[in-house]
Protein backbone atom coordinates (compact mmCIF):
# COMPACT_ATOMS: atom_id res chain seq x y z
CA UNK A 1 0.00 0.00 0.00
CA UNK A 2 1.32 3.48 -0.83
CA UNK A 3 1.77 5.68 2.20
CA UNK A 4 3.17 9.21 2.16
CA UNK A 5 5.94 8.32 4.64
CA UNK A 6 8.51 5.90 3.22
CA UNK A 7 10.84 3.54 5.03
CA UNK A 8 14.47 3.26 3.90
CA UNK A 9 13.65 -0.12 2.30
CA UNK A 10 10.76 1.41 0.44
CA UNK A 11 12.91 4.29 -0.77
CA UNK A 12 15.51 1.81 -2.09
CA UNK A 13 12.74 -0.14 -3.79
CA UNK A 14 11.26 3.08 -5.23
CA UNK A 15 14.63 4.25 -6.54
CA UNK A 16 14.90 1.03 -8.54
CA UNK A 17 11.34 0.98 -9.77
CA UNK A 18 11.28 4.69 -10.53
CA UNK A 19 13.70 3.99 -13.38
CA UNK A 20 10.66 2.75 -15.29
CA UNK A 21 8.52 5.34 -17.01
CA UNK A 22 4.97 5.42 -15.72
CA UNK A 23 2.67 8.07 -17.03
CA UNK A 24 -0.54 8.45 -15.04
CA UNK A 25 -3.46 10.52 -16.36
CA UNK A 26 -6.34 11.98 -14.39
CA UNK A 27 -9.51 13.00 -16.26
CA UNK A 28 -11.49 15.37 -14.05
CA UNK A 29 -8.31 16.49 -12.30
CA UNK A 30 -9.60 19.85 -11.09
CA UNK A 31 -12.52 18.43 -9.12
CA UNK A 32 -13.03 17.61 -5.48
CA UNK A 33 -11.41 14.19 -5.93
CA UNK A 34 -9.17 15.12 -8.84
CA UNK A 35 -7.10 17.71 -6.97
CA UNK A 36 -6.09 15.72 -3.87
CA UNK A 37 -5.75 12.57 -5.99
CA UNK A 38 -3.35 14.37 -8.31
CA UNK A 39 -1.38 15.67 -5.33
CA UNK A 40 -1.04 12.15 -3.87
CA UNK A 41 0.08 10.85 -7.27
CA UNK A 42 2.71 13.62 -7.41
CA UNK A 43 4.05 12.29 -4.10
CA UNK A 44 4.37 8.76 -5.49
CA UNK A 45 7.90 8.15 -6.84
CA UNK A 46 6.61 5.39 -9.12
CA UNK A 47 4.78 8.03 -11.17
CA UNK A 48 7.20 9.65 -13.59
CA UNK A 49 4.69 11.75 -15.54
CA UNK A 50 1.35 13.10 -14.40
CA UNK A 51 -1.12 14.39 -17.00
CA UNK A 52 -4.05 16.40 -15.64
CA UNK A 53 -7.12 17.06 -17.78
CA UNK A 54 -10.37 18.76 -16.91
CA UNK A 55 -12.98 20.74 -18.81
CA UNK A 56 -12.23 23.53 -16.33
CA UNK A 57 -8.99 24.34 -14.57
CA UNK A 58 -6.66 21.51 -15.61
CA UNK A 59 -3.63 23.72 -16.38
CA UNK A 60 -4.03 25.68 -13.13
CA UNK A 61 -4.07 22.55 -10.97
CA UNK A 62 -1.09 21.21 -12.94
CA UNK A 63 0.92 24.44 -12.48
CA UNK A 64 0.24 24.36 -8.76
CA UNK A 65 1.11 20.69 -8.26
CA UNK A 66 4.16 20.96 -10.52
CA UNK A 67 5.91 23.08 -7.86
CA UNK A 68 5.95 20.15 -5.41
CA UNK A 69 9.58 19.07 -5.31
CA UNK A 70 9.32 15.49 -6.47
CA UNK A 71 10.83 14.35 -9.75
CA UNK A 72 7.77 13.65 -11.89
CA UNK A 73 6.82 15.89 -14.78
CA UNK A 74 3.34 17.42 -14.57
CA UNK A 75 1.34 18.58 -17.57
CA UNK A 76 -2.09 20.22 -17.57
CA UNK A 77 -4.69 20.26 -20.32
CA UNK A 78 -7.86 22.23 -20.83
CA UNK A 79 -11.02 21.18 -22.61
CA UNK A 80 -10.79 19.98 -26.19
CA UNK A 81 -9.87 16.90 -28.19
CA UNK A 82 -6.23 17.88 -28.63
CA UNK A 83 -5.67 18.32 -24.89
CA UNK A 84 -7.46 15.08 -24.15
CA UNK A 85 -5.39 13.22 -26.76
CA UNK A 86 -2.12 14.59 -25.40
CA UNK A 87 -3.16 13.76 -21.82
CA UNK A 88 -3.96 10.17 -22.74
CA UNK A 89 -1.19 9.22 -25.15
CA UNK A 90 1.38 6.92 -23.53
CA UNK A 91 -0.53 6.56 -20.25
CA UNK A 92 -0.03 3.41 -18.20
CA UNK A 93 -2.92 4.28 -15.89
CA UNK A 94 -5.92 6.52 -16.53
CA UNK A 95 -8.06 7.49 -13.54
CA UNK A 96 -11.51 8.96 -14.27
CA UNK A 97 -13.20 10.95 -11.49
CA UNK A 98 -14.97 13.28 -13.99
CA UNK A 99 -18.65 13.86 -13.38
CA UNK A 100 -21.11 15.25 -10.89
CA UNK A 101 -21.31 14.11 -7.25
CA UNK A 102 -24.43 13.43 -5.18
CA UNK A 103 -26.40 15.83 -3.02
CA UNK A 104 -28.43 14.72 0.03
CA UNK A 105 -31.46 12.66 -0.93
CA UNK A 106 -29.93 11.35 -4.16
CA UNK A 107 -28.83 7.80 -4.95
CA UNK A 108 -25.76 7.15 -7.09
CA UNK A 109 -28.11 5.98 -9.83
CA UNK A 110 -29.63 9.50 -9.87
CA UNK A 111 -26.27 10.63 -11.32
CA UNK A 112 -26.65 8.31 -14.31
CA UNK A 113 -28.29 10.84 -16.65
CA UNK A 114 -25.38 13.28 -16.34
CA UNK A 115 -22.41 11.01 -15.79
CA UNK A 116 -23.19 8.25 -18.30
CA UNK A 117 -22.47 10.50 -21.27
CA UNK A 118 -19.42 12.09 -19.62
CA UNK A 119 -17.88 8.66 -19.02
CA UNK A 120 -18.92 7.38 -22.46
CA UNK A 121 -17.18 10.28 -24.18
CA UNK A 122 -14.02 10.03 -22.08
CA UNK A 123 -13.99 6.25 -22.68
CA UNK A 124 -14.13 6.90 -26.42
CA UNK A 125 -11.08 9.14 -26.16
CA UNK A 126 -9.26 6.58 -23.99
CA UNK A 127 -10.08 3.81 -26.49
CA UNK A 128 -8.62 5.96 -29.27
CA UNK A 129 -5.51 7.29 -27.52
CA UNK A 130 -4.61 4.93 -24.66
CA UNK A 131 -6.26 1.59 -25.51
CA UNK A 132 -3.71 -0.43 -23.52
CA UNK A 133 -3.79 1.63 -20.31
CA UNK A 134 -5.30 0.38 -17.06
CA UNK A 135 -8.56 2.33 -16.77
CA UNK A 136 -9.76 3.15 -13.26
CA UNK A 137 -13.36 4.35 -13.22
CA UNK A 138 -14.29 6.42 -10.17
CA UNK A 139 -17.29 8.35 -11.60
CA UNK A 140 -20.64 7.16 -10.27
CA UNK A 141 -22.70 5.12 -10.62
CA UNK A 142 -19.69 2.79 -10.88
CA UNK A 143 -22.00 -0.23 -11.28
CA UNK A 144 -23.12 1.29 -14.60
CA UNK A 145 -20.16 3.45 -15.72
CA UNK A 146 -17.85 0.41 -15.87
CA UNK A 147 -20.19 -1.52 -18.23
CA UNK A 148 -20.53 1.71 -20.26
CA UNK A 149 -16.75 1.88 -20.64
CA UNK A 150 -16.57 -1.81 -21.60
CA UNK A 151 -19.21 -1.34 -24.30
CA UNK A 152 -17.39 1.68 -25.75
CA UNK A 153 -14.10 -0.23 -25.88
CA UNK A 154 -15.87 -3.23 -27.48
CA UNK A 155 -17.42 -0.97 -30.12
CA UNK A 156 -13.93 0.25 -31.01
CA UNK A 157 -12.48 -3.28 -31.00
CA UNK A 158 -9.96 -2.60 -28.23
CA UNK A 159 -11.66 -4.04 -25.12
CA UNK A 160 -9.35 -5.90 -22.76
CA UNK A 161 -11.25 -6.91 -19.60
CA UNK A 162 -7.99 -7.28 -17.71
CA UNK A 163 -7.43 -3.52 -17.93
CA UNK A 164 -10.80 -2.14 -16.80
CA UNK A 165 -11.44 -1.51 -13.09
CA UNK A 166 -14.32 0.09 -11.21
CA UNK A 167 -12.69 1.61 -8.15
CA UNK A 168 -14.25 0.11 -5.00
CA UNK A 169 -11.19 0.63 -2.82
CA UNK A 170 -13.00 3.22 -0.69
CA UNK A 171 -15.38 0.51 0.53
CA UNK A 172 -12.54 -1.61 1.94
CA UNK A 173 -10.83 1.48 3.33
CA UNK A 174 -14.04 2.36 5.18
CA UNK A 175 -14.64 -1.23 6.33
CA UNK A 176 -11.14 -1.42 7.76
CA UNK A 177 -11.54 1.91 9.55
CA UNK A 178 -15.05 1.28 10.91
CA UNK A 179 -14.22 -2.18 12.27
CA UNK A 180 -11.10 -0.77 13.97
CA UNK A 181 -13.26 1.87 15.64
CA UNK A 182 -15.50 -0.83 17.11
CA UNK A 183 -12.66 -3.07 18.23
CA UNK A 184 -10.18 -0.35 19.28
CA UNK A 185 -7.51 -1.75 16.95
CA UNK A 186 -5.10 -0.29 14.41
CA UNK A 187 -6.88 -0.18 11.02
CA UNK A 188 -3.55 -1.05 9.37
CA UNK A 189 -4.08 -4.57 10.75
CA UNK A 190 -7.73 -4.81 9.75
CA UNK A 191 -8.48 -6.15 6.30
CA UNK A 192 -12.11 -6.68 5.41
CA UNK A 193 -13.03 -8.17 2.06
CA UNK A 194 -15.88 -6.26 0.43
CA UNK A 195 -17.51 -7.77 -2.65
CA UNK A 196 -20.35 -6.94 -5.04
CA UNK A 197 -20.65 -3.45 -6.45
CA UNK A 198 -20.39 0.15 -5.32
CA UNK A 199 -23.77 1.42 -4.10
CA UNK A 200 -25.96 0.69 -1.10
CA UNK A 201 -26.91 -2.97 -0.77
CA UNK A 202 -24.61 -3.99 -3.62
CA UNK A 203 -21.70 -3.30 -1.23
CA UNK A 204 -21.21 -6.58 0.68
CA UNK A 205 -18.64 -6.72 3.48
CA UNK A 206 -17.60 -10.23 4.45
CA UNK A 207 -17.07 -9.85 8.19
CA UNK A 208 -16.89 -13.63 8.62
CA UNK A 209 -13.57 -13.51 6.77
CA UNK A 210 -12.20 -10.60 8.82
CA UNK A 211 -10.24 -10.76 12.07
CA UNK A 212 -13.58 -10.40 13.88
CA UNK A 213 -16.08 -13.05 12.80
CA UNK A 214 -17.40 -12.73 16.37
CA UNK A 215 -19.18 -9.46 15.51
CA UNK A 216 -22.82 -10.55 15.38
CA UNK A 217 -26.37 -9.38 16.02
CA UNK A 218 -27.15 -5.66 16.17
CA UNK A 219 -23.49 -4.64 16.16
CA UNK A 220 -22.93 -6.56 12.94
CA UNK A 221 -26.08 -5.16 11.32
CA UNK A 222 -25.08 -1.59 12.22
CA UNK A 223 -21.53 -2.11 10.96
CA UNK A 224 -22.66 -3.63 7.66
CA UNK A 225 -25.13 -0.79 7.21
CA UNK A 226 -22.44 1.81 7.91
CA UNK A 227 -20.10 0.24 5.33
CA UNK A 228 -22.89 0.02 2.75
CA UNK A 229 -24.02 3.59 3.34
CA UNK A 230 -20.70 5.24 4.27
CA UNK A 231 -20.97 7.40 1.16
CA UNK A 232 -24.33 8.76 2.36
CA UNK A 233 -22.79 9.64 5.72
CA UNK A 234 -20.35 11.97 3.94
CA UNK A 235 -22.96 13.35 1.52
CA UNK A 236 -25.20 14.29 4.46
CA UNK A 237 -22.34 15.83 6.45
CA UNK A 238 -21.26 17.91 3.43
CA UNK A 239 -24.86 19.12 3.20
CA UNK A 240 -25.05 19.87 -0.51
CA UNK A 241 -21.35 20.52 -1.11
CA UNK A 242 -20.67 17.11 -2.68
CA UNK A 243 -19.59 13.66 -1.60
CA UNK A 244 -16.41 11.98 -0.39
CA UNK A 245 -13.35 13.56 -2.02
CA UNK A 246 -10.37 13.27 0.35
CA UNK A 247 -10.91 9.65 1.42
CA UNK A 248 -11.64 8.84 -2.22
CA UNK A 249 -8.42 10.49 -3.34
CA UNK A 250 -6.56 8.32 -0.82
CA UNK A 251 -8.36 5.20 -2.04
CA UNK A 252 -7.76 6.04 -5.72
CA UNK A 253 -4.09 6.71 -5.17
CA UNK A 254 -3.76 3.41 -3.28
CA UNK A 255 -5.36 1.54 -6.19
CA UNK A 256 -3.08 3.26 -8.72
CA UNK A 257 -0.02 2.51 -6.60
CA UNK A 258 -1.02 -1.15 -6.33
CA UNK A 259 -1.24 -1.39 -10.12
CA UNK A 260 2.15 0.30 -10.54
CA UNK A 261 3.75 -2.04 -7.99
CA UNK A 262 2.27 -5.07 -9.74
CA UNK A 263 3.38 -3.75 -13.14
CA UNK A 264 6.90 -3.37 -11.79
CA UNK A 265 7.05 -7.01 -10.77
CA UNK A 266 5.86 -7.09 -7.17
CA UNK A 267 4.08 -10.38 -6.51
CA UNK A 268 0.89 -10.92 -4.54
CA UNK A 269 -0.53 -7.39 -4.88
CA UNK A 270 -4.26 -7.73 -4.25
CA UNK A 271 -6.99 -5.10 -4.28
CA UNK A 272 -10.76 -5.31 -4.55
CA UNK A 273 -12.14 -3.97 -7.82
CA UNK A 274 -15.29 -4.12 -9.91
CA UNK A 275 -14.16 -6.04 -12.99
CA UNK A 276 -15.58 -8.32 -15.65
CA UNK A 277 -15.91 -11.51 -13.65
CA UNK A 278 -17.18 -15.04 -14.16
CA UNK A 279 -18.34 -15.35 -10.51
CA UNK A 280 -22.01 -14.40 -10.94
CA UNK A 281 -22.24 -14.04 -14.72
CA UNK A 282 -24.95 -16.71 -14.85
CA UNK A 283 -27.10 -14.47 -12.61
CA UNK A 284 -26.93 -11.46 -14.92
CA UNK A 285 -23.87 -9.90 -13.29
CA UNK A 286 -21.12 -9.77 -15.87
CA UNK A 287 -19.20 -7.44 -13.56
CA UNK A 288 -18.54 -8.10 -9.90
CA UNK A 289 -16.10 -6.85 -7.31
CA UNK A 290 -13.98 -9.36 -5.41
CA UNK A 291 -10.34 -9.57 -4.41
CA UNK A 292 -8.24 -9.19 -7.54
CA UNK A 293 -4.60 -10.15 -7.78
CA UNK A 294 -2.87 -7.60 -9.97
CA UNK A 295 -0.01 -8.16 -12.39
CA UNK A 296 1.76 -6.46 -15.29
CA UNK A 297 -1.20 -7.50 -17.44
CA UNK A 298 -3.72 -5.78 -15.11
CA UNK A 299 -6.07 -8.41 -13.69
CA UNK A 300 -3.96 -11.50 -12.94
CA UNK A 301 -6.42 -13.54 -10.91
CA UNK A 302 -10.02 -13.03 -9.81
CA UNK A 303 -10.39 -14.55 -6.36
CA UNK A 304 -13.65 -16.32 -5.62
CA UNK A 305 -15.81 -14.99 -2.81
CA UNK A 306 -14.75 -17.93 -0.63
CA UNK A 307 -16.45 -19.37 2.42
CA UNK A 308 -19.26 -17.16 3.71
CA UNK A 309 -22.10 -17.59 6.19
CA UNK A 310 -25.85 -17.67 5.63
CA UNK A 311 -26.26 -14.00 6.52
CA UNK A 312 -23.68 -13.03 3.89
CA UNK A 313 -25.33 -15.30 1.33
CA UNK A 314 -28.48 -13.23 1.89
CA UNK A 315 -26.54 -9.99 1.41
CA UNK A 316 -25.08 -11.25 -1.87
CA UNK A 317 -28.49 -12.38 -3.13
CA UNK A 318 -29.84 -8.85 -2.48
CA UNK A 319 -26.79 -7.28 -4.11
CA UNK A 320 -27.08 -9.35 -7.28
CA UNK A 321 -30.62 -8.13 -7.95
CA UNK A 322 -29.64 -4.43 -8.00
CA UNK A 323 -26.31 -5.08 -9.64
CA UNK A 324 -27.83 -6.93 -12.60
CA UNK A 325 -30.16 -3.96 -13.24
CA UNK A 326 -27.34 -1.40 -12.93
CA UNK A 327 -25.13 -3.34 -15.35
CA UNK A 328 -27.93 -3.81 -17.89
CA UNK A 329 -28.73 -0.09 -17.69
CA UNK A 330 -25.13 0.84 -18.54
CA UNK A 331 -24.94 -1.57 -21.46
CA UNK A 332 -28.32 -0.44 -22.80
CA UNK A 333 -27.25 3.21 -22.61
CA UNK A 334 -24.36 2.66 -25.02
CA UNK A 335 -26.55 0.65 -27.40
CA UNK A 336 -29.15 3.46 -27.53
CA UNK A 337 -26.64 6.33 -27.34
CA UNK A 338 -23.50 5.13 -29.12
P1 LIG B 1 -16.54 17.43 -8.61
O1 LIG B 1 -17.75 18.04 -9.21
O2 LIG B 1 -15.89 18.10 -7.48
O3 LIG B 1 -15.43 17.20 -9.72
C1 LIG B 1 -15.72 16.65 -10.96
C2 LIG B 1 -14.78 17.24 -11.98
O4 LIG B 1 -15.05 16.62 -13.24
C3 LIG B 1 -14.94 18.76 -12.18
O5 LIG B 1 -13.70 19.43 -12.03
C4 LIG B 1 -15.47 18.89 -13.59
O6 LIG B 1 -15.03 20.06 -14.27
C5 LIG B 1 -14.89 17.63 -14.22
N1 LIG B 1 -15.56 17.20 -15.44
C6 LIG B 1 -16.88 17.17 -15.72
N2 LIG B 1 -17.08 16.72 -16.98
C7 LIG B 1 -15.86 16.45 -17.49
C8 LIG B 1 -15.40 15.95 -18.73
N3 LIG B 1 -16.24 15.64 -19.72
N4 LIG B 1 -14.07 15.80 -18.90
C9 LIG B 1 -13.20 16.09 -17.90
N5 LIG B 1 -13.58 16.57 -16.71
C10 LIG B 1 -14.90 16.75 -16.51
O7 LIG B 1 -16.93 15.93 -8.19
P2 LIG B 1 -16.11 14.91 -7.27
O8 LIG B 1 -16.50 15.11 -5.86
O9 LIG B 1 -14.68 14.99 -7.64
O10 LIG B 1 -16.74 13.51 -7.73
C11 LIG B 1 -16.53 13.04 -9.04
C12 LIG B 1 -17.26 11.72 -9.26
O11 LIG B 1 -16.68 10.69 -8.44
C13 LIG B 1 -18.73 11.74 -8.90
O12 LIG B 1 -19.46 11.06 -9.90
C14 LIG B 1 -18.80 10.98 -7.59
O13 LIG B 1 -20.04 10.40 -7.37
C15 LIG B 1 -17.72 9.95 -7.80
N6 LIG B 1 -17.20 9.31 -6.59
C16 LIG B 1 -16.90 7.98 -6.65
C17 LIG B 1 -16.37 7.33 -5.55
C18 LIG B 1 -16.04 5.87 -5.61
O14 LIG B 1 -15.82 5.26 -4.57
N7 LIG B 1 -15.92 5.27 -6.78
C19 LIG B 1 -16.13 8.04 -4.36
C20 LIG B 1 -16.44 9.40 -4.34
C21 LIG B 1 -16.98 10.03 -5.45
C1 LIG C 1 -18.77 7.19 -1.92
O1 LIG C 1 -18.90 5.99 -1.67
O2 LIG C 1 -18.41 8.01 -1.05
C2 LIG C 1 -18.98 7.66 -3.33
O3 LIG C 1 -19.52 6.67 -4.13
C3 LIG C 1 -19.72 8.95 -3.41
C4 LIG C 1 -21.16 8.86 -3.02
O4 LIG C 1 -22.00 9.34 -3.79
O5 LIG C 1 -21.49 8.33 -1.96
Amino acid sequence: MFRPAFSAAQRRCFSVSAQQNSKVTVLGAAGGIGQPLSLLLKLNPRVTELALYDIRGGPGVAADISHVNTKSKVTGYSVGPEGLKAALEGAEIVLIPAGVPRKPGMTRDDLFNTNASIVRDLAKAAADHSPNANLLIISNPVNSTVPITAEVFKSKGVYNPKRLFGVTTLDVVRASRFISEIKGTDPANEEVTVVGGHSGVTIVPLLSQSNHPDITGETRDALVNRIQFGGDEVVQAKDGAGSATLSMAYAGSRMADSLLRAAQGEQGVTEPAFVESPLYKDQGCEFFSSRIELGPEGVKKIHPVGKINEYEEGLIAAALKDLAKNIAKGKEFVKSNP
Side-chain angles (χ1 to χ4, degrees):
M1 183 196 308
F2 164 64
R3 292 191 179 87
F6 306 111
S7 67
Q10 279 173 318
R11 279 196 298 274
R12 272 197 302 281
C13 174
F14 278 146
S15 66
V16 174
S17 55
Q19 288 165 13
Q20 303 195 23
N21 287 333
S22 292
K23 174 174 172 179
V24 176
T25 298
V26 182
L27 307 180
I33 296 167
Q35 293 199 34
L37 172 61
S38 302
L39 176 61
L40 291 172
L41 293 166
K42 176 69 174 129
L43 299 181
N44 187 336
R46 293 179 198 279
V47 178
T48 53
E49 187 178 345
L50 190 55
L52 306 181
Y53 173 84
D54 199 295
I55 51 168
R56 229 184 5 253
V61 172
D64 189 351
I65 287 181
S66 75
H67 290 190
V68 172
N69 63 339
T70 58
K71 271 189 180 166
S72 49
K73 174 181 161 194
V74 184
T75 46
Y77 302 93
S78 44
V79 64
E82 285 313 310
L84 192 49
K85 177 173 185 262
L88 288 166
E89 274 176 348
E92 180 174 331
I93 296 180
V94 177
L95 293 121
I96 307 188
V100 293
R102 284 198 284 166
K103 290 190 187 319
M106 291 172 81
T107 66
R108 291 179 184 81
D109 188 56
D110 292 333
L111 302 172
F112 187 97
N113 286 344
T114 310
N115 289 352
S117 52
I118 292 176
V119 173
R120 177 201 57 200
D121 294 347
L122 292 175
K124 282 182 186 171
D128 288 341
H129 306 303
S130 55
N132 300 318
N134 291 302
L135 226 61
L136 272 58
I137 310 296
I138 294 171
S139 318
N140 272 315
V142 166
N143 295 355
S144 303
T145 51
V146 170
I148 286 173
T149 306
E151 290 306 305
V152 168
F153 270 60
K154 281 180 202 166
S155 73
K156 288 185 174 270
V158 292
Y159 179 51
N160 176 356
K162 290 182 189 298
R163 298 263 183 222
L164 176 60
F165 303 85
V167 180
T168 58
T169 327
L170 182 53
D171 300 318
V172 293
V173 166
R174 283 184 178 134
S176 152
R177 179 63 186 145
F178 297 165
I179 207 167
S180 80
E181 286 177 331
I182 291 176
K183 289 291 182 181
T185 53
D186 181 347
N189 301 324
E190 299 292 358
E191 206 179 302
V192 182
T193 299
V194 182
V195 300
H198 178 70
S199 74
V201 299
T202 73
I203 298 169
V204 180
L206 302 178
L207 301 181
S208 69
Q209 296 177 5
S210 74
N211 292 339
H212 308 288
D214 56 303
I215 299 178
T216 52
E218 283 178 11
T219 312
R220 174 200 62 193
D221 294 352
L223 175 59
V224 167
N225 186 271
R226 191 173 180 211
I227 295 166
Q228 292 185 319
F229 295 93
D232 298 67
E233 198 177 295
V234 180
V235 169
Q236 274 151 29
K238 290 201 173 178
D239 198 16
S243 56
T245 53
L246 304 172
S247 49
M248 182 58 236
Y250 167 76
S253 102
R254 165 175 145 172
M255 183 66 196
D257 182 63
S258 292
L259 273 162
L260 290 171
R261 285 192 286 125
Q264 292 172 8
E266 191 174 319
Q267 298 295 311
V269 181
T270 303
E271 286 287 359
F274 187 65
V275 298
E276 186 176 319
S277 169
L279 297 182
Y280 293 96
K281 197 171 178 177
D282 61 349
Q283 293 181 58
C285 295
E286 203 175 314
F287 296 85
F288 193 83
S289 178
S290 66
R291 286 175 58 242
I292 308 295
E293 186 176 341
L294 304 171
E297 66 277 54
V299 173
K300 186 172 177 186
K301 182 176 175 198
I302 297 173
H303 284 271
V305 163
K307 192 167 175 291
I308 57 174
N309 59 30
E310 208 180 320
Y311 170 80
E312 291 162 348
E313 276 168 15
L315 292 180
I316 290 192
L320 292 175
K321 276 193 199 154
D322 273 18
L323 207 45
K325 284 188 219 148
N326 297 158
I327 293 167
K329 187 172 176 179
K331 291 177 74 160
E332 185 48 44
F333 173 78
V334 180
K335 275 202 193 101
S336 319
N337 307 274

